[in-house]
């Protein structure tokens, strides 16, 4: 028995030693992301006025946050792959590859913002939930998308290029950092959009602005698809995937909205929502980016078998998860205590975070691996498919598990 334990300890020590750089880089990125997600959580925990004034807004928020992570995470993943295979230089200079990715990400954000709003309204109608009208949903979503684009596109490029030039693997840092910035800026962008919406008032001017925005988005999409084959491939591959992801994001919002009273009476749990969803999505994105780069580089074959490289990647994610989930519960509780919000209790919060996270991650590792292999075998670029689908499924599952474990822990501890 002792010799068996000794063998396991030696293997674990070798694993840590061989992957120390990857674990260190990923942990740094995840801890930075946790701070961004915490800020988003604090903002969400203090948005009760807006959630009451604009019914249905809570349904839109997870989808909007997820969409930013999906679009700009895929943008970062494509930049990372292009940097790895040498078709893109890590410089802020005019480049066909870079310009193609920039334009496709901008157009995707605009198109998906419209559909996100439509899905939100449909869910409100299906489940008989109070909500603002469809035009307001679309205007909020599109204005927030424009603001996020102006902020996130340069941030994504900066993180990708600087990490690569600094000797860090972009697969380990760019996607989680980009997702964290997306989480951080999405909620302020939505709040700014609400003020813009109020400024438009009610009447013909608001209708005119709405009509012009919809027309411009249609023209942009049709023009880019018909003019540039590279952009056409990204848009046609990404749009169906991101539509599915948007629906999953709205489902996640519907889960939260259905338990709005529980969340509003326990603001610490509301603060934990972006943290759990964001860090889970970041872990899944790291795995997706690493597997995608390994497929493109020929390190793993597109086969459903656990090679040593694949197994190491899965163990890296599990190791990170064991550290991350207790950490986000601690900082969520600490932030609630500092700002004077009613706290739920550290031990119950850790139990909710750890149980939800460690239930979720093994399931998502199987899903990510399957999506990577299937997309590559069918001639699709995993960079356009894996991160959007996997993070959206993660958002839906994480919110469902968060609510389920929260209700369970509340029943036990309260």
């Amino acid at each position: 028995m002792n010799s068996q334990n000794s063998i396991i300890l030696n293997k674990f020590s070798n694993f840590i030693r061989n992957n120390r750089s990857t674990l260190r880089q990923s942990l740094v990125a995840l801890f930075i992301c946790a701070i961004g997600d915490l800020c988003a959580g604090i903002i969400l925990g203090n948005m009760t006025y807006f959630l009451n004034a604009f019914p249905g807004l809570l349904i839109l928020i997870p989808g909007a946050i997820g969409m930013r992570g999906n679009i700009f995470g895929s943008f970062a993943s494509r930049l990372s792959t292009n940097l790895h295979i040498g078709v893109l230089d890590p410089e802020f200079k005019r480049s066909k590859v870079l310009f193609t990715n920039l334009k496709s990400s901008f157009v995707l954000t605009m198109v998906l913002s419209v559909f996100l709003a439509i899905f939100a309204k449909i869910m409100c109608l299906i489940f008989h939930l109070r909500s603002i009208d469809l035009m307001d949903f679309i205007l909020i979503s599109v204005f927030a998308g424009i603001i996020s684009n102006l902020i996130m596109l340069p941030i994504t490029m900066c993180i990708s290029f600087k990490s690569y030039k600094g000797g860090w693997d972009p697969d380990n840092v760019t996607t989680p950092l980009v997702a964290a910035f997306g989480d951080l800026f999405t909620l302020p962008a939505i709040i700014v959009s609400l003020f813009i919406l109020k400024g438009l008032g009610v009447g013909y001017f608001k209708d005119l602005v709405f009509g012009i925005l919809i027309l411009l988005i249609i023209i942009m999409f049709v023009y880019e698809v018909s003019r540039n084959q590279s952009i056409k491939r990204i848009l046609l591959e990404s749009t169906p995937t991101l539509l599915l992801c948007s629906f999953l994001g709205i489902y996640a919002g519907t889960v939260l909205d259905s338990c709005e009273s529980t969340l509003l009476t326990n603001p610490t749990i509301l603060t934990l929502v972006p943290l759990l969803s964001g860090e889970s999505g970041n872990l899944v994105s790291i795995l997706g980016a690493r597997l995608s780069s390994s497929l493109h580089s020929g390190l793993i074959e597109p086969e459903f078998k656990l090679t040593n490289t694949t197994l190491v990647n899965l163990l890296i994610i599990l190791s990170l998860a064991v550290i991350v989930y207790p950490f986000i519960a601690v900082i969520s509780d600490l932030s609630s205590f500092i700002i004077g919000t009613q706290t739920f209790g550290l031990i119950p919060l850790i139990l909710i975070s750890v149980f939800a996270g460690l239930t979720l991650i093994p399931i998502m590792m199987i899903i990510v691996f399957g999506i990577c292999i299937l997309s590559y075998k069918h001639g699709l670029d995993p960079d356009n498919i894996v991160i959007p689908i996997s993070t959206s499924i993660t958002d839906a599952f994480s919110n469902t598990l968060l609510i389920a474990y929260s209700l369970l822990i509340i029943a036990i501890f309260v």
Side-chain angles (χ1 to χ4, degrees):
M1 187 70 175
N2 287 335
S3 62
Q4 211 171 22
N5 289 338
S6 178
I7 291 170
I8 293 171
L9 284 172
N10 284 334
K11 285 185 175 181
F12 181 72
S13 298
N14 290 334
F15 168 76
I16 297 296
R17 193 181 306 113
N18 294 335
N19 297 282
R20 182 178 296 154
S21 175
T22 298
L23 290 167
R24 177 176 57 84
Q25 291 177 14
S26 299
L27 275 175
V28 169
L30 287 166
F31 286 156
I32 293 172
C33 294
I35 303 302
D37 291 330
L38 177 63
C39 294
I42 292 170
I43 294 169
L44 183 58
N46 289 276
M47 278 184 66
T48 51
Y49 166 76
F50 294 106
L51 295 177
N52 288 322
F54 296 89
L57 186 62
L58 188 57
I59 294 177
L60 187 67
I61 286 173
I65 291 175
M67 187 180 72
R68 306 292 179 262
N70 291 335
I71 292 175
F72 297 112
S74 294
F75 177 41
S77 185
R78 288 195 299 270
L79 292 182
S80 174
T81 298
N82 288 327
L83 287 166
H84 276 302
I85 63 179
V87 299
L88 180 65
D89 294 322
E91 302 290 342
F92 290 96
K93 60 184 182 182
R94 190 175 181 84
S95 159
K96 183 179 179 182
V97 171
L98 181 59
F99 199 52
T100 295
N101 280 286
L102 279 170
K103 287 201 291 184
S104 59
S105 296
F106 188 90
V107 175
L108 279 170
T109 302
M110 293 296 95
V111 172
L112 268 296
S113 293
V114 174
F115 280 100
L116 192 71
I118 293 171
F119 290 153
K121 185 61 180 178
I122 289 172
M123 294 300 274
C124 289
L125 293 173
I126 290 173
F127 292 99
H128 306 289
L129 302 171
R130 289 190 314 121
S131 70
I132 53 180
D133 63 36
L134 178 60
M135 184 187 296
D136 288 347
F137 265 127
I138 292 175
L139 287 171
I140 292 168
S141 188
V142 170
F143 285 139
I146 293 170
I147 295 166
S148 297
N149 261 332
L150 296 175
I151 297 170
M152 289 304 301
L153 287 174
I155 285 177
T156 304
M157 288 188 294
C158 185
I159 293 171
S160 297
F161 293 163
K162 293 295 183 183
S163 62
Y164 189 82
K165 289 174 75 173
W168 288 50
D169 185 347
D171 285 336
N172 298 331
V173 296
T174 54
T175 305
L177 285 175
V178 165
F181 277 109
D183 294 351
L184 180 61
F185 288 116
T186 295
L187 290 177
I190 288 175
I191 292 172
V192 172
S193 300
L194 296 176
F195 284 109
I196 294 173
L197 181 65
K198 287 190 73 175
L200 290 176
V202 179
Y204 293 117
F205 181 66
K206 179 179 171 183
D207 296 342
L208 179 63
V209 170
F210 175 78
I212 291 172
L213 283 174
I214 295 298
L215 184 62
L216 287 175
I217 290 168
I218 293 171
I219 290 171
M220 267 196 305
F221 185 83
V222 173
Y223 177 76
E224 293 299 344
V225 166
S226 62
R227 182 171 173 268
N228 187 308
Q229 284 300 118
S230 298
I231 293 178
K232 179 180 179 179
R233 183 188 177 188
I234 293 172
L235 293 179
L236 294 185
E237 281 188 11
S238 299
T239 300
T241 302
L242 290 169
L243 283 173
L244 172 62
C245 296
S246 297
F247 179 78
L248 290 171
I250 293 301
Y251 163 76
T254 306
V255 171
L256 294 179
D257 196 79
S258 65
C259 297
E260 186 178 21
S261 59
T262 301
L263 293 170
L264 294 180
T265 53
N266 295 280
T268 308
I269 298 178
L270 196 57
T271 302
L272 189 60
V273 169
L275 277 163
L276 183 69
S277 177
E279 291 298 276
S280 300
N282 291 336
L283 287 167
V284 166
S285 296
I286 291 172
L287 177 61
R290 290 180 63 82
L291 291 177
S292 178
S293 291
S294 296
L295 283 165
H296 281 296
S297 305
L299 295 175
I300 60 174
E301 295 294 323
E303 301 291 337
F304 287 102
K305 57 184 179 182
L306 281 179
T307 62
N308 186 57
T309 301
T310 303
L311 190 59
V312 166
N313 281 316
L314 296 178
L315 288 174
I316 286 171
I317 301 304
L318 272 179
S319 302
L320 294 170
V322 170
I323 299 169
V324 163
Y325 288 117
F327 175 74
I328 63 174
V330 170
I331 63 172
S332 179
D333 186 73
L334 183 61
S335 70
S336 295
F337 175 76
I338 290 172
I339 65 176
T341 304
Q342 179 185 350
T343 59
F344 184 62
L346 180 58
I347 299 302
L349 208 59
I350 290 175
L351 291 174
I352 291 170
S353 181
V354 170
F355 285 158
L358 295 184
T359 302
L360 175 67
I361 286 301
I363 297 170
M364 289 311 305
M365 289 196 302
I366 297 170
I367 291 173
V368 171
F369 178 64
I371 296 172
C372 269
I373 300 302
L374 284 173
S375 60
Y376 196 85
K377 286 180 76 170
H378 286 82
L380 300 172
D381 187 349
D383 288 327
N384 296 332
I385 307 294
V386 177
I387 290 177
I389 290 182
S390 58
T391 53
S392 295
I393 296 173
T394 301
D395 288 345
F397 281 4
S398 68
N399 285 336
T400 303
L401 289 168
L402 175 65
I403 294 298
Y405 281 115
S406 295
L407 294 174
L408 177 63
I409 298 299
I410 287 172
I412 294 172
F413 282 88
V414 178

